[in-house]
Amino acid sequence: MGDERVTRVDRHAATLPRRSPRGATARLREEGGVVLVGVSAGQIGRAKPRYVGLHDGYLVGLIRAGATPVVWPSTLGVGEPEEVAERAKELVGRVGGVVLSGGGDVDPGRYGATASTERLYGVDPARDAFELAVLKAAREAGCPVLAICRGAQVANVAFGGTLLQDVEEAGFAAHSDPDHEYEVSHEVVVEPRSLLERLVGHGSYGVNSLHHQAGATLGAGLEVLARSPDGLVEAFAAPGLLARQWHPERMLKSDPLAQRFFDWLVNWGEA
């Protein structure tokens, strides 16, 4: 999909009240500072349960956009809820944006459910606690958030939504396609006149797909930006929030538009 399909990016779309009249990037550069972006990270997997990490594409995309990424491990969610909330508030206050990265499943208890599938994996209570606290702090501070895959699911839950614990068991097509991790797996239909259309163009957009969960009911105040051909919500937004199920950090080499998601975050609120 070529750049000729892309309309002009409107950086005023989907914004919260700004901390200053100009965006964080411009303000900090004028002050001779750097733009820090917090990036959440979780446990790598069963093979190394005590290792925390994330795909380096998140960091590459942010650095290309002019930011300095700071990795926030899931262990920041260990402690009493009040402690975690205060920690998240302090960290959000130090950055110009937040990326909620992909990873394991959200604890069903967070959206009022119990486990209903054996396919549930990677549940990390500390990560759930920390990322939900970060989202709350970001909304209160007017700090923009880019939510990817698991991050989108966390965002939906934070806004009061619920999740399909496994999309195949819920009657949808399989959406986890690791054989095409770095290339297009399927297309999504972009909502007209939406923030996503301003970033990638109108019509359909090719994405990779690594998720086995998705939104069941969408949280209050969330705007649908794209759906898959089988009807799943693939992207949504709220003021200062851009969330999607696919992984742009893994498409940076194959899709020239993937970088625009990181640019949106770092340049958010600029004139």
Side-chain angles (χ1 to χ4, degrees):
M1 190 175 297
D3 284 357
E4 67 275 4
R5 294 190 54 194
V6 181
T7 56
R8 182 179 63 85
V9 176
D10 181 359
R11 291 192 177 116
H12 295 287
T15 59
L16 285 169
R18 304 177 198 163
R19 300 181 205 175
S20 68
R22 303 193 63 196
T25 301
R27 175 168 49 81
L28 288 170
R29 283 175 179 161
E30 288 170 357
E31 297 170 355
V34 296
V35 180
L36 299 178
V37 173
V39 187
S40 67
Q43 295 183 14
I44 293 175
R46 298 183 183 90
K48 294 184 175 181
R50 297 184 66 179
Y51 286 70
V52 172
L54 73 166
H55 195 283
D56 68 356
Y58 296 104
L59 312 181
V60 171
L62 290 170
I63 291 169
R64 287 180 180 175
T68 298
V70 180
V71 178
W72 290 343
S74 57
T75 44
L76 288 167
V78 174
E80 295 298 319
E82 296 79 10
E83 296 175 326
V84 175
E86 187 59 33
R87 190 177 300 143
K89 183 178 180 179
E90 180 181 349
L91 289 170
V92 167
R94 297 181 180 183
V95 299
V98 172
V99 175
L100 296 183
S101 67
D105 296 336
V106 179
D107 183 349
R110 290 287 183 176
Y111 47 94
T114 57
S116 62
T117 175
E118 294 182 355
R119 296 182 179 181
L120 206 68
Y121 85 100
V123 174
D124 182 349
R127 185 173 186 183
D128 290 348
F130 177 65
E131 290 182 343
L132 288 167
V134 163
L135 266 171
K136 184 176 187 295
R139 292 173 67 185
E140 292 174 349
C143 180
V145 176
L146 180 65
I148 295 173
C149 198
R150 169 197 157 86
Q153 293 156 17
V154 172
N156 187 36
V157 170
F159 278 75
T162 62
L163 302 179
L164 298 172
Q165 294 185 29
D166 186 82
V167 297
E168 282 188 88
E169 292 182 1
F172 294 90
H175 278 251
S176 182
D177 184 12
D179 291 337
H180 298 91
E181 181 177 356
Y182 297 97
E183 56 189 295
V184 172
S185 175
H186 66 82
E187 293 192 337
V188 298
V189 180
V190 179
E191 289 292 322
R193 297 176 296 280
S194 67
L195 170 60
L196 185 61
E197 184 183 67
R198 291 191 286 273
L199 291 174
V200 304
H202 65 278
S204 60
Y205 175 58
V207 301
N208 56 4
S209 192
L210 297 171
H211 63 102
H212 84 107
Q213 295 194 331
T217 58
L218 205 60
L222 297 176
E223 173 195 0
V224 175
L225 302 182
R227 295 181 185 272
S228 60
D230 58 0
L232 284 178
V233 173
E234 288 276 353
F236 57 84
L241 169 69
L242 178 55
R244 90 297 327 283
Q245 287 289 169
W246 65 91
H247 287 262
E249 83 282 357
R250 306 186 193 204
M251 299 284 283
L252 292 173
K253 291 184 178 180
S254 61
D255 177 13
L257 302 184
Q259 179 61 39
R260 295 192 173 199
F261 296 102
F262 298 98
D263 294 344
W264 171 87
L265 179 71
V266 176
N267 296 313
W268 175 83
E270 284 195 13

